[in-house]
Amino acid sequence: MGRVRKKARRSESFFSYAMVTPTVVVLLVMSVFALIFTFYYSFTDYYYISLEGPVFNGLDNYIALFKDPYFIRAIWNTVYFTVVCTVVETVYGLGMAVYVHRMKRFKKIMRTLLLLPYLLQLLLLWRRQQKCLAYDA
């Protein structure tokens, strides 16, 4: 009996992978294609409306980009925001989890109150989508 179940699970697993594989392959091919062309065009002077083809200019685009003070500031702001937000959110989330875990009373109510904003966002998004797709005659 165990062999039959194992074989059925293996068959079910194979079917699942067979159904997902085409989508994964298409997404990978499209992503790699876009990445390669973006990388190629980053080394050219190309305007997509122009009748001329792309003109290779080497590292000039990157040199101009890294000489731009606004770009440097934007990179610094992005890194700073990412690091600070990640650290603060992780410490805050861990602290709240430890606090709720150690609570003796009202533990379930506190969990609900902490998860309510996430659930409310999904509910509001669903409702907005429902209104956008509603057919009003």
Side-chain angles (χ1 to χ4, degrees):
M1 191 67 148
R3 286 184 180 176
V4 173
R5 251 190 246 150
K6 201 175 213 182
K7 189 172 183 179
R9 274 193 225 144
R10 198 176 311 139
S11 174
E12 190 176 301
S13 176
F14 175 76
F15 179 73
S16 299
Y17 284 122
M19 296 308 295
V20 171
T21 300
T23 303
V24 170
V25 167
V26 167
L27 288 173
L28 280 174
V29 167
M30 289 175 61
S31 298
V32 169
F33 181 77
L35 185 66
I36 289 170
F37 272 89
T38 301
F39 186 70
Y40 168 73
Y41 284 125
S42 72
F43 290 104
T44 63
D45 185 17
Y46 179 65
Y47 186 59
Y48 61 93
I49 297 178
S50 172
L51 297 176
E52 301 172 8
V55 177
F56 184 77
N57 64 354
L59 295 173
D60 292 344
N61 292 337
Y62 288 102
I63 292 169
L65 192 64
F66 284 107
K67 283 184 177 179
D68 185 8
Y70 292 114
F71 177 75
I72 299 298
R73 186 67 186 167
I75 293 293
W76 169 247
N77 288 343
T78 302
V79 169
Y80 178 77
F81 181 78
T82 302
V83 169
V84 168
C85 284
T86 302
V87 169
V88 168
E89 288 175 6
T90 301
V91 169
Y92 175 74
L94 185 62
M96 288 303 293
V98 169
Y99 174 72
V100 170
H101 181 70
R102 290 186 177 178
M103 287 180 73
K104 302 238 187 271
R105 299 175 60 191
F106 306 115
K107 191 183 247 186
K108 289 182 180 179
I109 292 172
M110 185 57 92
R111 282 185 192 157
T112 302
L113 290 175
L114 286 173
L115 293 175
L116 197 60
Y118 299 106
L119 299 174
L120 190 61
Q121 285 178 0
L122 289 174
L123 182 67
L124 291 175
L125 187 65
W126 169 75
R127 186 67 181 136
R128 185 181 69 187
Q129 191 70 14
Q130 193 179 33
K131 281 191 171 275
C132 285
L133 297 176
Y135 177 75
D136 295 336

